[in-house]
């Protein structure tokens, strides 16, 4: 496996990461034991970056990933998200992201994550994300519960705007290509 530095974090991550949404049955049913075998196989092959969200399978992906990584936590770079909790359920308030992040830590069976990202920021009020959500994540970072803070979303222009105003170590966007038939 090849590894690269993750920006300026000092973290070395595998060039292939494990997106754990499948553990929450997002794209079809995956049995718990199959998911655990996939995670452990990935670790055995050198994959050390695991990304999840409480939104994936409405917390199921976090629960399954936490179980699968039991005993392996310190050998992986673990990322989760906050702010989006359902198809139409968002809470970017400081209290909401803080309380729900504590739940994420319990599901993931860890006392910290390497990367905590605000999930799909364009669905929230950008001013709230800049002046309330990200400062709440910084407090979690100061407490040692999140090593680094990032943002995710669909619109690069929105992500760029926020990243210019509030420094984050990672910005993740999803590009969707619609094929013509």
């Amino acid at each position: 496996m090849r590894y690269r530095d993750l920006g300026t974090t000092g973290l070395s991550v595998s060039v292939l990461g494990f997106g754990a949404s499948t553990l929450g049955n997002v794209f079809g049913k995956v049995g718990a034991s199959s998911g655990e075998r996939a995670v452990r196989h990935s670790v055995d092959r050198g994959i050390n970056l695991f990304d999840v969200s409480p939104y994936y399978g409405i917390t199921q992906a976090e629960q399954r990933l936490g179980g699968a990584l039991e005993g392996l936590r310190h050998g992986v770079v673990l990322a989760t998200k906050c702010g989006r909790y359902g198809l139409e359920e968002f809470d970017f308030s400081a209290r909401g992201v803080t309380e729900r992040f504590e739940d994420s830590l319990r599901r993931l069976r860890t006392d910290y994550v390497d990367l905590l990202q605000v999930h799909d920021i364009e669905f929230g009020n950008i001013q709230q994300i800049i002046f309330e959500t990200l400062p709440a994540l910084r407090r979690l970072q100061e407490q040692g519960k999140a090593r680094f803070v990032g943002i995710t979303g669909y619109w690069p222009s929105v992500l760029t705007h926020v990243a210019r105003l509030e420094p984050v170590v990672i910005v993740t966007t999803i590009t969707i290509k619609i094929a013509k038939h």
Side-chain angles (χ1 to χ4, degrees):
M1 182 60 61
R2 292 189 326 257
Y3 300 88
R4 294 199 177 119
D5 292 336
L6 181 61
T8 59
T9 64
L11 297 172
S12 180
V13 296
S14 51
V15 295
L16 294 175
F18 190 104
S21 61
T22 55
L23 299 179
N25 296 330
V26 171
F27 302 106
K29 188 153 177 59
V30 175
S33 62
S34 295
E36 182 171 337
R37 282 193 311 273
V39 168
R40 292 192 173 264
H41 181 80
S42 297
V43 170
D44 290 345
R45 297 301 181 271
I47 292 175
N48 74 342
L49 176 60
F50 290 83
D51 178 75
V52 70
S53 168
Y55 170 51
Y56 304 150
I58 313 305
T59 72
Q60 185 178 46
E62 282 187 331
Q63 291 170 349
R64 287 182 170 179
L65 183 61
L69 289 175
E70 198 155 25
L72 304 171
R73 171 64 186 97
H74 295 289
V76 302
V77 175
L78 183 57
T80 195
K81 302 176 185 78
C82 64
R84 183 169 199 172
Y85 304 102
L87 187 60
E88 299 292 330
E89 185 183 355
F90 300 89
D91 183 353
F92 295 103
S93 70
R95 180 178 179 182
V97 296
T98 301
E99 288 177 358
R100 289 184 180 214
F101 176 65
E102 294 294 337
D103 295 336
S104 289
L105 290 176
R106 280 190 286 284
R107 285 188 293 272
L108 291 166
R109 302 179 190 189
T110 188
D111 55 354
Y112 76 98
V113 296
D114 298 291
L115 180 60
L116 178 57
Q117 304 161 95
V118 184
H119 200 177
D120 293 343
I121 65 171
E122 65 277 355
F123 289 98
N125 176 297
I126 296 303
Q127 295 302 310
Q128 180 185 31
I129 289 166
I130 293 169
F131 296 108
E132 183 178 349
T133 312
L134 286 167
L137 270 58
R138 299 268 183 240
R139 287 189 292 279
L140 292 168
Q141 191 176 20
E142 290 166 3
Q143 296 168 16
K145 294 179 180 184
R147 292 179 65 193
F148 302 100
V149 171
I151 54 176
T152 79
Y154 293 94
W155 302 104
S157 60
V158 174
L159 293 164
T160 301
H161 172 72
V162 172
R164 283 187 177 137
L165 296 173
E166 182 64 32
V168 292
V169 298
I170 190 166
V171 176
T172 305
T173 186
I174 303 292
T175 303
I176 300 173
K177 183 177 181 180
I178 301 173
K180 291 184 181 182
H181 294 282

